[in-house]
Each structure stands twice: as C-alpha cells, then as structure tokens.
Amino acid sequence: MNEKMDVFRSGKMCFMVSRKRVAALSQVGVKRKLGVPGPWVWIDFETTGFDIQKNDIIEIGAVKRGLDGREEVFQKLIRISYRCPYHISKLTHITNDMLQRCGEPLKESLMALMGFIKGATLIAHNARFDMRFLKKACEKADVPCPDNHVICTYKWISNTPELKPHSLTVLSERYGIQHSDAHRALSDAKATQSLYDMLHDHYLERVMIVRFDWITTDRVYKEPVSVGQRHD
C-alpha cells in the first residue's frame, strides 16, 4: 500500500514526504536537518604544505552547533619540530614564534579534538584534503581515527550545476560571507559554516554524506545521493 504524502516545510524549501515522516521531522526539528544528523562541526586545518606524507597540521579550527542551536569553538596551534615554510607563514600569518610559544603537542590536541567532534557530522570545504591530513596526524600520534560522517561543501557545489566550485575565499566574496581572516583555521571554519547554511537553504537535495574512512581513500564519488542517504 502506498503511503499518503504531505508537505514538510523547512525554511524556504518544501519536501514531499510521507505523513509519518512529516510527524517525525516536526518532532525532531533541528536535530536531523532533514537527513543531515546533528550535532554539526565545521572544521578546517592549516598545514605546512599540500603533501600529506611530508607536511603537517599547524592549526585546527572548528565550530560546533549543538542540537539546541548553541555553538562552541575549538582552536589550537600545533607545535612542529621544524621551521614553518616562509610562504606558509606569509599566507596564514602563523609564525614560527607563535608555534613554539603557543603551539600544543599533536597528540594532546587531537585527543581534545576527538572529544569535541564525537558524534557530529563533520563539514569541510575540500574535505578530502582536510580529512586525509587528519587521518595521517592520528596515525602519527597513535590516536584512533574518527568514525564520523563527512560533508564536503566543495563537492556539494560541484554537484550543483548552477554553481561553480571555487576556493573558500572566492565563494565568500561571491556570496557576501564574512571572511576577514582567510587562511586561519577558525576563520575558514566559520566561513564554511556560512556557506553550508546557504547551501542547506537552497540546494539541500544535492548534499552528499560520506564516511570518514571512505573519503580518506582514493575512491571517487561523483553522484549526489538523496537527502538522508550516505556512501557507507
């Protein structure tokens, strides 16, 4: 027997779903975000370069939105055993002196991060880059890798024909997103959060959610999945 369908409204968007689903969605409200389970953590890493075998994380920035809508931030500089390349310091404004004075050990920082992101959906711009660095850092520090699900806003935009994928800086300028301290991890995480909220309001049907261990491999994921489905 076919289920009776009804309209569920979320912001400016409407979805045709079963009446049972409407009732369930109405009850959980912000908790599920129509298939994107919360809490949510927008996350970004600054690194000494692009090579996961040779380079390292020097800053972690993250914003968590809880099921009650309240937000927390996470920011740590990571001490490294060598000098940060000049071009990276020039880009990020993270100096060797900052890393030595304020940087924390990698393992301690990752353990704190694991507690912060536990049970959350992770959201990053160009998530494969960030998650691969996170995986490598966890292996280096002997910290268990996370098992979170991940959303990549860059991939989300790539799967939306009317939008063009670009760097976070370019997208921030295009959509009027405040991003005054670009290439610092917390500022980038906050800009990604604003970008996500824009995409969620207008292009939710193109979202793709993948597992951490899936996105950190060489698998290629090209097609979006329906809201609430995942690549597992």
Side-chain angles (χ1 to χ4, degrees), residues 13 24 62 72 83 96 106 118 120 126 133 135 171 183 209:
M13 302 188 72
E72 302 174 60
R83 292 187 64 80
N96 286 287
L106 177 63
K118 185 177 180 180
N126 195 8
F133 263 97
K135 179 181 179 181
L171 291 167
H183 303 296
I209 310 172

Side-chain angles (χ1 to χ4, degrees), residues 28-174:
V28 299
V30 71
K31 293 184 180 180
R32 295 293 300 181
K33 281 279 187 178
L34 285 170
V36 182
W40 307 266
V41 172
W42 293 266
I43 191 167
D44 185 79
F45 301 99
E46 299 304 324
T47 67
T48 57
F50 298 106
D51 190 330
I52 62 171
Q53 301 304 323
K54 298 178 180 179
N55 300 123
D56 295 284
I57 295 171
I58 54 174
E59 188 178 38
I60 305 171
V63 182
K64 177 162 66 176
R65 181 182 293 161
L67 302 181
D68 58 1
R70 288 187 294 183
E71 296 186 354
E72 302 174 60
V73 298
F74 181 100
Q75 184 176 32
K76 287 187 182 294
L77 290 170
I78 311 298
R79 191 180 303 126
I80 55 176
S81 60
Y82 54 93
R83 292 187 64 80
C84 185
Y86 172 77
H87 68 281
I88 296 296
S89 291
K90 186 176 181 181
L91 178 68
T92 63
H93 303 294
I94 298 172
T95 66
N96 286 287
D97 182 59
M98 290 168 60
L99 293 176
Q100 294 307 311
R101 286 191 301 105
C102 305
E104 299 184 23
L106 177 63
K107 184 166 187 174
E108 180 181 308
S109 301
L110 290 175
M111 292 294 289
L113 178 65
M114 293 305 111
F116 187 79
I117 68 174
K118 185 177 180 180
T121 295
L122 304 182
I123 305 159
H125 196 69
N126 195 8
R128 178 162 283 181
F129 173 86
D130 289 299
M131 297 305 114
R132 282 179 168 177
F133 263 97
L134 178 56
K135 179 181 179 181
K136 182 245 186 177
C138 287
E139 292 171 347
K140 179 179 179 180
D142 195 25
V143 172
C145 289
D147 59 359
N148 305 61
H149 281 82
V150 183
I151 292 174
C152 177
T153 51
Y154 183 92
K155 190 68 179 177
W156 195 346
I157 290 173
S158 299
N159 286 327
T160 307
E162 57 267 47
L163 301 178
K164 293 182 179 180
H166 282 294
S167 70
L168 189 58
T169 300
V170 170
L171 291 167
S172 296
E173 292 175 355
R174 179 189 296 172

